[in-house]
């Protein structure tokens, strides 16, 4: 175990102080995620923008610890599908807590059978039960940012989502985000 500590959240950037590793996911890192492959390739071969960033506190991913991270998903769409995280399953099934900090988004959950959608906004706690794969989506026009707290030995399985999908895709609609069946063709 490490010593007790406080971590300061930096609202302007989504950074943490003190900070552990900071991850940046560009369009080129998100192969196979968006339904519209041609639109994804165009974005990758063009500006290859940063889609999301993940700042971590210094708490290690070790049994018994509770690491924290802050994810910032930048606004945008690919072929009408909102910017989103890769999504993962915890190979050691354990729960996780998200807390909305700024912007508007959602938490898409999938247990392999049934998808669920939790709208997220500042002040909302989203709970991910053990066994539910999870992906975050920015459904607004500004950065969507949230805190995650998870057991240090939960692990991250990204292959599960590539194999099983997430049940739904989240597309920009006229007013509200549209949840469409995952395997449907790009519109
Ligand atoms: O712990 C979590 O679930 C989050 O911190 C995610 O790891 C983060 O939002 C990035 O998503 P992903 O790990 O699916 O790329
Ligand atoms: Ni997780």
């Amino acid at each position: 175990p490490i010593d007790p500590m406080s971590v300061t959240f930096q609202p302007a950037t989504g950074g943490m102080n003190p900070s552990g590793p900071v991850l940046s996911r560009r369009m080129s890192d998100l192969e196979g995620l968006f339904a519209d492959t041609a639109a994804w390739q165009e974005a990758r071969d063009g500006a290859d923008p940063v889609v999301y960033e993940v700042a971590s506190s210094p708490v290690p991913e070790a049994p018994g610890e509770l690491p924290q991270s802050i994810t910032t998903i930048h606004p945008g769409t690919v072929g009408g599908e909102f910017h989103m995280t890769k999504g993962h399953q915890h190979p050691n099934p354990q729960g996780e807590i998200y807390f909305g900090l700024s912007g508007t988004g959602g938490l898409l959950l999938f247990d392999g059978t049934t998808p669920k959608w939790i709208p997220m906004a500042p002040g909302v706690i989203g709970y991910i039960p053990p066994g539910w794969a999870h992906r975050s989506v920015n459904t607004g026009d500004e950065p969507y940012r949230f805190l995650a707290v998870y057991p240090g030995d939960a692990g991250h399985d990204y292959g599960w989502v590539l194999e099983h999908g997430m049940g739904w895709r989240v597309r920009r609609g006229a007013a509200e985000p549209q949840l469409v069946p995952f395997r449907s063709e790009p519109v």
Side-chain angles (χ1 to χ4, degrees):
I2 57 170
D3 285 339
M5 70 165 80
S6 75
V7 177
T8 305
F9 156 58
Q10 298 175 316
T13 60
M16 294 173 120
N17 185 22
S19 181
V22 180
L23 250 168
S24 196
R25 297 277 187 223
R26 291 184 176 275
M27 198 60 78
S28 50
D29 298 314
L30 306 181
E31 182 162 15
L33 265 59
F34 295 98
D36 189 338
T37 307
W40 171 76
Q41 280 173 352
E42 197 180 321
R44 177 200 61 185
D45 297 343
D48 193 18
V50 172
V51 177
Y52 64 98
E53 290 146 299
V54 187
S56 307
S57 85
V59 175
E61 292 189 341
E65 302 283 7
L66 284 173
Q68 314 103 46
S69 61
I70 291 175
T71 301
T72 302
I73 308 178
H74 297 285
T77 54
V78 177
E81 200 175 347
F82 283 118
H83 280 184
M84 60 188 176
T85 60
K86 291 170 79 166
H88 61 266
Q89 183 66 279
H90 296 160
N92 178 7
Q94 297 191 73
E96 178 164 8
I97 291 166
Y98 283 8
F99 182 69
L101 295 173
S102 60
T104 312
L107 172 53
L108 178 60
L109 300 120
F110 189 47
D111 65 354
T113 308
T114 309
K116 303 258 188 207
W117 173 250
I118 298 177
M120 292 289 294
V124 175
I125 297 170
Y127 179 59
I128 302 159
W132 288 78
H134 39 289
R135 160 176 287 166
S136 294
V137 184
N138 184 343
T139 58
D141 296 318
E142 57 179 299
Y144 163 54
R145 182 168 289 150
F146 63 95
L147 171 75
V149 184
Y150 57 99
D153 60 352
H156 294 82
D157 180 357
Y158 293 96
W160 191 96
V161 168
L162 291 175
E163 190 179 334
H164 297 90
M166 284 299 298
W168 284 327
R169 293 183 177 279
V170 190
R171 301 182 52 83
R172 191 187 286 283
E176 295 298 311
Q178 292 182 316
L179 301 169
V180 302
F182 193 85
R183 303 290 178 197
S184 65
E185 292 301 309
V187 186

